[in-house]
PDB file of all heavy atoms in Angstrom:
ATOM      1  N   THR A 638     -29.050 -23.641 102.502  1.00 95.00           N
ATOM      2  CA  THR A 638     -28.295 -24.853 102.162  1.00 95.00           C
ATOM      3  C   THR A 638     -26.806 -24.561 102.109  1.00 95.00           C
ATOM      4  O   THR A 638     -25.986 -25.334 102.618  1.00 95.00           O
ATOM      5  CB  THR A 638     -28.774 -25.406 100.809  1.00 95.00           C
ATOM      6  OG1 THR A 638     -30.153 -25.760 100.910  1.00 95.00           O
ATOM      7  CG2 THR A 638     -27.961 -26.631 100.406  1.00 95.00           C
ATOM      8  N   LEU A 639     -26.446 -23.436 101.497  1.00 96.00           N
ATOM      9  CA  LEU A 639     -25.035 -23.047 101.439  1.00 96.00           C
ATOM     10  C   LEU A 639     -24.491 -22.824 102.842  1.00 96.00           C
ATOM     11  O   LEU A 639     -23.378 -23.280 103.162  1.00 96.00           O
ATOM     12  CB  LEU A 639     -24.877 -21.780 100.603  1.00 96.00           C
ATOM     13  CG  LEU A 639     -23.483 -21.151 100.573  1.00 96.00           C
ATOM     14  CD1 LEU A 639     -22.462 -22.112  99.976  1.00 96.00           C
ATOM     15  CD2 LEU A 639     -23.491 -19.835  99.800  1.00 96.00           C
ATOM     16  N   THR A 640     -25.249 -22.145 103.677  1.00 95.00           N
ATOM     17  CA  THR A 640     -24.824 -21.903 105.055  1.00 95.00           C
ATOM     18  C   THR A 640     -24.592 -23.216 105.786  1.00 95.00           C
ATOM     19  O   THR A 640     -23.611 -23.373 106.534  1.00 95.00           O
ATOM     20  CB  THR A 640     -25.872 -21.060 105.799  1.00 95.00           C
ATOM     21  OG1 THR A 640     -26.076 -19.830 105.089  1.00 95.00           O
ATOM     22  CG2 THR A 640     -25.424 -20.747 107.215  1.00 95.00           C
ATOM     23  N   GLN A 641     -25.474 -24.182 105.540  1.00 94.00           N
ATOM     24  CA  GLN A 641     -25.331 -25.492 106.175  1.00 94.00           C
ATOM     25  C   GLN A 641     -24.082 -26.209 105.648  1.00 94.00           C
ATOM     26  O   GLN A 641     -23.349 -26.849 106.419  1.00 94.00           O
ATOM     27  CB  GLN A 641     -26.579 -26.348 105.899  1.00 94.00           C
ATOM     28  CG  GLN A 641     -26.526 -27.755 106.479  1.00 94.00           C
ATOM     29  CD  GLN A 641     -26.414 -27.773 107.986  1.00 94.00           C
ATOM     30  OE1 GLN A 641     -27.001 -26.926 108.665  1.00 94.00           O
ATOM     31  NE2 GLN A 641     -25.662 -28.724 108.522  1.00 94.00           N
ATOM     32  N   ASP A 642     -23.818 -26.097 104.345  1.00 93.00           N
ATOM     33  CA  ASP A 642     -22.635 -26.743 103.769  1.00 93.00           C
ATOM     34  C   ASP A 642     -21.349 -26.211 104.403  1.00 93.00           C
ATOM     35  O   ASP A 642     -20.344 -26.935 104.489  1.00 93.00           O
ATOM     36  CB  ASP A 642     -22.580 -26.520 102.258  1.00 93.00           C
ATOM     37  CG  ASP A 642     -23.608 -27.345 101.488  1.00 93.00           C
ATOM     38  OD1 ASP A 642     -24.122 -28.324 102.065  1.00 93.00           O
ATOM     39  OD2 ASP A 642     -23.904 -26.993 100.329  1.00 93.00           O
ATOM     40  N   LEU A 643     -21.375 -24.942 104.854  1.00 95.00           N
ATOM     41  CA  LEU A 643     -20.184 -24.332 105.441  1.00 95.00           C
ATOM     42  C   LEU A 643     -20.221 -24.333 106.970  1.00 95.00           C
ATOM     43  O   LEU A 643     -19.325 -23.769 107.604  1.00 95.00           O
ATOM     44  CB  LEU A 643     -20.033 -22.885 104.950  1.00 95.00           C
ATOM     45  CG  LEU A 643     -19.942 -22.667 103.429  1.00 95.00           C
ATOM     46  CD1 LEU A 643     -19.715 -21.196 103.123  1.00 95.00           C
ATOM     47  CD2 LEU A 643     -18.849 -23.508 102.803  1.00 95.00           C
ATOM     48  N   SER A 644     -21.219 -24.977 107.549  1.00 93.00           N
ATOM     49  CA  SER A 644     -21.428 -24.865 108.994  1.00 93.00           C
ATOM     50  C   SER A 644     -20.355 -25.558 109.821  1.00 93.00           C
ATOM     51  O   SER A 644     -20.116 -25.184 110.969  1.00 93.00           O
ATOM     52  CB  SER A 644     -22.808 -25.432 109.373  1.00 93.00           C
ATOM     53  OG  SER A 644     -22.886 -26.818 109.056  1.00 93.00           O
ATOM     54  N   ALA A 645     -19.690 -26.566 109.240  1.00 91.00           N
ATOM     55  CA  ALA A 645     -18.673 -27.284 110.016  1.00 91.00           C
ATOM     56  C   ALA A 645     -17.358 -26.518 110.082  1.00 91.00           C
ATOM     57  O   ALA A 645     -16.487 -26.828 110.897  1.00 91.00           O
ATOM     58  CB  ALA A 645     -18.435 -28.669 109.420  1.00 91.00           C
ATOM     59  N   GLY A 646     -17.201 -25.525 109.220  1.00 91.00           N
ATOM     60  CA  GLY A 646     -15.958 -24.759 109.206  1.00 91.00           C
ATOM     61  C   GLY A 646     -14.794 -25.510 108.601  1.00 91.00           C
ATOM     62  O   GLY A 646     -13.637 -25.111 108.777  1.00 91.00           O
ATOM     63  N   THR A 647     -15.082 -26.584 107.860  1.00 91.00           N
ATOM     64  CA  THR A 647     -14.017 -27.399 107.255  1.00 91.00           C
ATOM     65  C   THR A 647     -14.251 -27.626 105.762  1.00 91.00           C
ATOM     66  O   THR A 647     -13.562 -28.427 105.147  1.00 91.00           O
ATOM     67  CB  THR A 647     -13.927 -28.766 107.957  1.00 91.00           C
ATOM     68  OG1 THR A 647     -15.206 -29.424 107.869  1.00 91.00           O
ATOM     69  CG2 THR A 647     -13.526 -28.607 109.414  1.00 91.00           C
ATOM     70  N   ALA A 648     -15.241 -26.937 105.199  1.00 92.00           N
ATOM     71  CA  ALA A 648     -15.575 -27.162 103.795  1.00 92.00           C
ATOM     72  C   ALA A 648     -14.460 -26.657 102.883  1.00 92.00           C
ATOM     73  O   ALA A 648     -13.864 -25.609 103.121  1.00 92.00           O
ATOM     74  CB  ALA A 648     -16.881 -26.453 103.453  1.00 92.00           C
ATOM     75  N   LYS A 649     -14.206 -27.436 101.842  1.00 94.00           N
ATOM     76  CA  LYS A 649     -13.220 -27.011 100.855  1.00 94.00           C
ATOM     77  C   LYS A 649     -13.936 -26.181  99.792  1.00 94.00           C
ATOM     78  O   LYS A 649     -14.978 -26.583  99.263  1.00 94.00           O
ATOM     79  CB  LYS A 649     -12.528 -28.211 100.219  1.00 94.00           C
ATOM     80  CG  LYS A 649     -11.421 -27.822  99.238  1.00 94.00           C
ATOM     81  CD  LYS A 649     -10.522 -28.989  98.899  1.00 94.00           C
ATOM     82  CE  LYS A 649      -9.588 -29.319 100.038  1.00 94.00           C
ATOM     83  NZ  LYS A 649      -8.569 -30.325  99.678  1.00 94.00           N
ATOM     84  N   VAL A 650     -13.376 -25.010  99.487  1.00 96.00           N
ATOM     85  CA  VAL A 650     -14.004 -24.089  98.545  1.00 96.00           C
ATOM     86  C   VAL A 650     -12.953 -23.509  97.609  1.00 96.00           C
ATOM     87  O   VAL A 650     -11.753 -23.568  97.875  1.00 96.00           O
ATOM     88  CB  VAL A 650     -14.724 -22.927  99.279  1.00 96.00           C
ATOM     89  CG1 VAL A 650     -15.843 -23.441 100.175  1.00 96.00           C
ATOM     90  CG2 VAL A 650     -13.728 -22.087 100.078  1.00 96.00           C
ATOM     91  N   GLN A 651     -13.437 -22.943  96.518  1.00 95.00           N
ATOM     92  CA  GLN A 651     -12.606 -22.158  95.612  1.00 95.00           C
ATOM     93  C   GLN A 651     -13.403 -20.918  95.238  1.00 95.00           C
ATOM     94  O   GLN A 651     -14.622 -20.995  95.022  1.00 95.00           O
ATOM     95  CB  GLN A 651     -12.224 -22.940  94.360  1.00 95.00           C
ATOM     96  CG  GLN A 651     -11.186 -22.234  93.495  1.00 95.00           C
ATOM     97  CD  GLN A 651     -10.602 -23.157  92.433  1.00 95.00           C
ATOM     98  OE1 GLN A 651     -11.191 -24.173  92.081  1.00 95.00           O
ATOM     99  NE2 GLN A 651      -9.432 -22.809  91.913  1.00 95.00           N
TER     100      GLN A 651
END
Side-chain angles (χ1 to χ4, degrees):
T638 298
L639 173 61
T640 303
Q641 178 62 36
D642 287 342
L643 302 183
S644 62
T647 57
K649 184 165 286 188
V650 298
Q651 189 167 20

